[in-house]
């Protein structure tokens, strides 16, 4: 079965947790596409060459989850040639037999506009910064400033900006628990699968 779940939205909104949970529940493969941009940013040197030469081993570095790696990722992610170099791999993953969940910023709009289910997961900057701060520590006000700066860079770039697809289901996790959001996501997927049967 070819079935793509596209999960987009800003940092620390809950996309990763929701994606992993629904992938496990439905037996779909999962790709965290942010890791691709993080790996390109972490390689250093010419980002376009780094994106063109990206190999799976680059995705298992253990420093990719840091705030600095997220910041570096969003800087290389504005470069159209970097994005272009990563498109084919993501598209192939999305349409692989057996079902796929991809989370990122442009999955439902650019990578896989034909995705069977699209979700846009968001939350207020304050709530997202608080969640991120609990993971990484440091000064919470600095974390909030970085969240706001990264949102602006991702939403305002010319190529593949972060935006909800018109047909995406909106999940605002500001006041909704992540487990409630997982249930909403799962029920959207289930009803689409049942509608196709
Ligand atoms: O999701 P994550 O925080 O790991 O993403 C890091 C950065 O990579 C984002 O801030 C964004 O600039 C970029 N990104 C993107 N398109 C995606 C996934 C991530 O531009 N599909």
């Amino acid at each position: 079965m070819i079935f793509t779940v596209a999960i987009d939205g800003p940092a620390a909104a809950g996309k990763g947790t929701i994606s992993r949970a629904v992938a496990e529940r439905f037996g779909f493969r999962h790709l965290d596409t942010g890791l691709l941009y993080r790996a390109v940013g972490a390689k250093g040197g010419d980002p376009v060459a780094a994106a063109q030469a990206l190999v799976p081993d680059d995705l298992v570095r253990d420093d990719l989850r840091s705030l600095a790696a997220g910041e570096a990722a969003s800087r290389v992610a504005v470069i159209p040639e970097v994005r272009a170099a990563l498109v084919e791999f993501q598209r192939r993953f999305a349409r692989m037999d057996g079902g796929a969940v991809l989370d990122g910023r442009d999955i439902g709009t650019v990578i896989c506009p034909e995705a069977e289910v699209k979700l846009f997961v968001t939350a207020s900057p304050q709530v997202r910064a608080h969640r991120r701060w609990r993971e990484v520590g440091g000064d919470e006000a600095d974390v909030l400033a970085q969240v706001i700066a990264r949102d602006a860079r991702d939403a305002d770039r010319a190529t593949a900006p972060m935006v909800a697809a018109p047909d995406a289901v909106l999940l605002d996790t500001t006041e909704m628990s992540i487990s409630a959001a997982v249930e909403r996501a799962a029920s959207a997927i289930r009803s689409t699968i049942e509608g196709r049967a």
Side-chain angles (χ1 to χ4, degrees), residues 27-70:
F28 294 168
R29 291 192 184 83
H30 170 225
L31 178 65
D32 168 1
T33 65
L35 265 190
L36 305 174
Y37 295 90
R38 286 171 181 262
V40 170
K43 268 190 150 187
D46 172 23
V48 176
Q52 287 166 347
L54 204 67
V55 291
D57 268 357
D58 294 330
L59 305 181
V60 293
R61 292 174 55 146
D62 50 12
D63 55 354
L64 295 182
R65 297 280 172 200
S66 69
L67 279 183

Side-chain angles (χ1 to χ4, degrees), residues 13 31 36 71 82 92 114 118 146 148 168 196:
L31 178 65
L36 305 174
E71 188 64 23
V82 165
R92 240 182 294 123
E114 70 274 39
K118 298 181 188 179
Q146 287 197 30
I148 291 172
R196 279 163 43 121

Side-chain angles (χ1 to χ4, degrees), residues 5 32 60 85-87 98 114 137 149 168 171:
V5 182
D32 168 1
V60 293
L86 302 176
V87 164
E114 70 274 39
L171 286 181

Side-chain angles (χ1 to χ4, degrees), residues 10-13 122-133 143 147 151:
T122 188
S124 74
Q126 288 74 15
V127 163
R128 290 186 289 116
H130 187 69
R131 287 180 191 150
R132 198 34 65 85
W133 169 76
V143 176
V147 160
D151 285 355

Side-chain angles (χ1 to χ4, degrees), residues 13-197:
K15 299 188 303 287
T17 311
I18 296 169
S19 301
R20 283 188 296 276
V22 298
E24 191 179 335
R25 194 172 299 190
F26 292 92
F28 294 168
R29 291 192 184 83
H30 170 225
L31 178 65
D32 168 1
T33 65
L35 265 190
L36 305 174
Y37 295 90
R38 286 171 181 262
V40 170
K43 268 190 150 187
D46 172 23
V48 176
Q52 287 166 347
L54 204 67
V55 291
D57 268 357
D58 294 330
L59 305 181
V60 293
R61 292 174 55 146
D62 50 12
D63 55 354
L64 295 182
R65 297 280 172 200
S66 69
L67 279 183
E71 188 64 23
S74 81
R75 290 182 191 278
V76 299
V78 303
I79 305 169
E81 294 82 358
V82 165
R83 307 198 69 84
L86 302 176
V87 164
E88 211 31 57
F89 172 75
Q90 295 175 82
R91 285 206 176 131
R92 240 182 294 123
F93 190 100
R95 301 314 266 169
M96 214 165 37
D97 197 23
V101 179
L102 289 85
D103 69 287
R105 302 290 185 290
D106 61 340
I107 308 303
T109 50
V110 173
I111 299 299
C112 195
E114 70 274 39
E116 282 71 16
V117 175
K118 298 181 188 179
L119 303 170
F120 193 83
V121 184
T122 188
S124 74
Q126 288 74 15
V127 163
R128 290 186 289 116
H130 187 69
R131 287 180 191 150
R132 198 34 65 85
W133 169 76
R134 281 172 43 186
E135 291 165 12
V136 299
D139 179 16
E140 191 170 347
D142 281 351
V143 176
L144 176 60
Q146 287 197 30
V147 160
I148 291 172
R150 189 130 75 88
D151 285 355
R153 200 177 301 125
D154 288 346
D156 296 345
R157 70 182 173 224
T159 308
M162 171 178 70
V163 63
D167 50 348
V169 175
L170 209 67
L171 286 181
D172 186 333
T173 66
T174 305
E175 301 202 341
M176 189 193 300
S177 70
I178 300 293
S179 57
V182 167
E183 293 314 316
R184 292 268 194 99
S187 86
I189 296 169
R190 204 176 309 113
S191 59
T192 306
I193 292 175
E194 284 167 5
R196 279 163 43 121

